[in-house]
Amino acid sequence: MTLRLEQLTLREIQLPLKEPFRISSGTQAVRRILLLELEDADGVSVWSECVAPEEPNYTSEAIDTAWLAIRNWVAPRVLNRTFDEPAQVFPALERHFRGHLMAKAAVEMGMWALDAERLGQPLAARLGAARECVEVGISLGIQTTPAALVERAGRAALAGYRKIKIKIGPGADVEYIRAVREALGPEAPLMADANNAYTLGAAAPLLELDELGLMMIEQPLAWDDLARHAALQRRLRTPICLDESITSVERVEDMLALGSGRIVNIKPGRVGGFGPSLAIHDLCQRNQIPVWCGGMLESGVGRAYNVALASLPNFVLPGDLSPGSRYWTEDIVTPEWVMSGDGLMRVPLQQPGIGVAVDRERIVRLTMREERLRRTR
Ligand code: OSB
Ligand code: MG
């Protein structure tokens, strides 16, 4: 079925987080969210979300650069041609166009949802869903004291989360994780995420964490560094999971060749969309590398895309796919994303498209700026 986009609307909304989210590279209290609405010539429309954060402290992208990139370069390439299938969108966006992967992904993923909607298929089924429920993990920001972290982690364990990820950084690492390990016991599914906070020359805390039975340590070293992660992995029993460093299927090939890590966090926004996400998924599956779906503090719109992706067969570890109530007092979708008491989230396989209704009136009320782009030829 051909895809022909007629109109693309950008909107920025702001949603306050229930609690500020602190990671080693910055703190987020209000989430500025870029939502897109894609409409085709037949009036079929879908919502998508660009996950770029406010500051360029995760990758080089930020919401303001993504807005510019979508308006100036992404939208013209997608609005002014026809695609036979959504898998053609990413290659079209990569041609003589470097970077801006989150901007590209927001449109590319919307095209997959539009295709699913047109085919009358659930998005998850369109991608190749292999399960009806996904396992849910929580990502806990850096807390002020080990005791505060123990309290938060204890509540997460009671709520049923199947993986508890704890943000770390120098000064908030070994003591914090050890306190949680002692409080929750040797079987608790704990992991740490450093968001680039360490260097090979000052890796002592990571060697101590190696004794604490973690499922993995995520992205301890620099965001674009595969060589030093390989050197570190040789010194650790705990698997290294790469997040920031995996920006393409080629970076996974490099990881495999160098031994930079043993687990991959796939965030579709970080790699440019579903096309590259599927390629990374398949490559990892062929090489016995487990993957899981990361999060970027998405609204219920972005959550729909992540849950659909996480339904694929090699997503064998719980994702950062917390329910809406973990982030917001009120989400922008109906029904809201919920987690069962044993840490599962249902994959919507009963209706076409992303599987949730988007509250347009609420979005209009929350809109800080809006721009409409149309087909020009
Ligand atoms: O490193 O995984 C990360 C949020 C913003 C930027 C980077 C990261 C995160 C998270 C949040 O860990 C996970 C979530 O969306 O719940
Ligand atoms: Mg991470």
Side-chain angles (χ1 to χ4, degrees):
M1 187 171 297
T2 59
L3 291 163
R4 189 178 153 91
L5 210 57
E6 199 56 38
Q7 179 167 291
L8 182 65
T9 307
L10 296 85
R11 286 193 186 83
E12 178 184 335
I13 64 164
Q14 297 187 5
L15 282 183
L17 283 158
K18 273 187 176 172
E19 53 179 16
F21 187 70
R22 181 174 160 217
I23 69 177
S24 66
S25 51
T27 302
Q28 209 52 197
V30 175
R31 187 75 173 92
R32 291 176 58 197
I33 302 173
L34 170 50
L35 295 173
L36 301 182
E37 198 175 6
L38 294 81
E39 285 174 67
D40 74 6
D42 301 322
V44 181
S45 73
V46 293
W47 291 87
S48 72
E49 176 167 347
C50 178
V51 299
E54 180 157 15
E55 301 280 334
N57 60 354
Y58 171 74
T59 65
S60 61
E61 287 185 272
I63 180 170
D64 298 312
T65 68
W67 189 295
L68 178 88
I70 292 171
R71 178 218 289 139
N72 286 10
W73 307 302
V74 179
R77 285 164 187 249
V78 176
L79 278 168
N80 290 311
R81 62 164 283 188
T82 302
F83 296 91
D84 297 324
E85 45 164 343
Q88 295 176 339
V89 177
F90 183 69
L93 292 176
E94 280 298 276
R95 195 175 144 73
H96 309 316
F97 181 1
R98 317 283 178 244
H100 300 280
L101 293 168
M102 293 178 184
K104 291 171 179 171
V107 174
E108 195 259 10
M109 293 160 74
M111 293 293 273
W112 283 88
L114 188 65
D115 188 55
E117 192 78 51
R118 289 182 62 92
L119 292 166
Q121 268 185 16
L123 177 61
R126 177 70 186 82
L127 298 178
R131 55 176 72 86
E132 292 177 350
C133 285
V134 294
E135 291 189 292
V136 179
I138 191 170
S139 174
L140 297 176
I142 296 173
Q143 306 291 314
T144 46
T145 62
L149 177 63
V150 166
E151 193 274 331
R152 276 309 269 111
R155 273 199 278 146
L158 273 180
Y161 283 103
R162 296 205 175 189
K163 184 181 82 190
I164 299 174
K165 162 165 138 178
I166 298 165
K167 294 290 187 177
I168 57 167
D173 45 38
V174 181
E175 188 195 353
Y176 284 66
I177 302 281
R178 184 174 289 130
V180 176
R181 177 55 83 208
E182 280 168 7
L184 297 188
E187 301 300 322
L190 304 180
M191 63 168 289
D193 184 359
N195 291 106
N196 325 291
Y198 299 88
T199 58
L200 253 195
L206 303 172
L207 300 176
E208 286 188 65
L209 289 179
D210 204 23
E211 304 302 316
L212 294 176
L214 299 178
M215 299 167 76
M216 65 193 101
I217 299 175
E218 186 176 342
Q219 197 70 38
L221 308 179
W223 65 280
D224 58 348
D225 194 322
L226 288 167
R228 289 165 191 78
H229 276 108
L232 179 63
Q233 181 68 89
R234 285 194 286 275
R235 295 165 64 187
L236 294 179
R237 273 176 295 143
T238 310
I240 290 177
C241 169
L242 294 179
D243 173 359
E244 283 90 330
S245 292
I246 302 298
T247 50
S248 65
V249 70
E250 289 78 15
R251 291 294 82 74
V252 180
E253 289 170 359
D254 297 347
M255 178 197 91
L256 290 167
L258 295 168
S260 317
R262 301 186 188 141
I263 299 176
V264 170
N265 166 334
I266 301 183
K267 294 180 184 175
R270 189 192 64 232
V271 300
F274 281 150
S277 296
L278 298 176
I280 291 171
H281 168 272
D282 295 353
L283 176 64
C284 287
Q285 189 167 32
R286 287 196 298 278
N287 288 278
Q288 287 95 48
I289 297 286
V291 307
W292 54 279
C293 185
M296 290 293 289
L297 310 174
E298 286 89 351
S299 79
V301 173
R303 174 67 68 254
Y305 287 82
N306 287 354
V307 168
L309 182 65
S311 74
L312 268 61
N314 193 38
F315 282 82
V316 291
L317 292 165
D320 284 345
L321 301 165
S322 298
S325 62
R326 183 259 183 279
Y327 311 96
W328 330 107
T329 38
E330 193 190 349
D331 206 334
I332 55 172
V333 299
T334 325
E336 289 203 12
W337 295 96
V338 292
M339 180 180 81
S340 67
D342 59 350
L344 296 175
M345 187 173 278
R346 209 182 281 281
V347 180
L349 288 166
Q350 309 307 322
Q351 65 267 62
I354 67 170
V356 285
V358 177
D359 186 346
R360 170 187 296 274
E361 276 172 31
R362 179 126 188 282
I363 288 172
V364 168
R365 279 200 304 280
L366 294 169
T367 295
M368 313 299 291
R369 56 174 167 158
E370 178 175 343
E371 187 168 347
R372 186 155 299 163
L373 308 167
R374 290 200 179 81
R375 177 180 282 273
T376 53
R377 56 183 149 87

